[in-house]
Amino acid sequence: MDFTITAEEEALVIRVAAQLRAGHSPTDDSLADELGEEVRPRVQALLEKGWLVVDAESSLTLSRMAQAALSSRRDVGGAGA
């Protein structure tokens, strides 16, 4: 896993995490509809870096490592919240 991500990629990981907590199943298409086509390269980069994975239903989800990285963050509903 590549822990070096841009601020924009981090914001996207946090957005996906929030959608998952809300019970939604984000896809690259739904994110592009919401945020614009320019989000697609960020989604691809996060997939390649191992932060996001595609589940059996073709939805985006956080990798185990991304979940662990976010779990201690107060601003994204982690253990410190």
Side-chain angles (χ1 to χ4, degrees):
M1 176 177 221
D2 183 350
F3 284 99
T4 307
I5 61 173
T6 67
E8 293 85 6
E9 290 169 344
E10 180 181 15
L12 185 56
V13 169
I14 292 168
R15 184 183 250 0
V16 169
Q19 288 187 2
L20 292 168
R21 279 193 313 275
H24 301 291
S25 299
T27 64
D28 60 337
D29 289 335
S30 69
L31 290 171
D33 289 345
E34 179 184 353
L35 303 171
E37 288 296 319
E38 62 273 5
V39 78
R40 289 186 191 276
R42 281 183 240 141
V43 169
Q44 186 60 42
L46 289 166
L47 288 165
E48 291 171 3
K49 292 177 181 182
W51 283 81
L52 297 178
V53 294
V54 178
D55 68 15
E57 290 81 38
S58 298
S59 297
L60 296 169
T61 191
L62 301 177
S63 68
R64 288 184 187 187
M65 293 297 290
Q67 291 173 23
L70 293 179
S71 69
S72 64
R73 291 188 51 155
R74 294 175 189 264
D75 61 334
V76 292

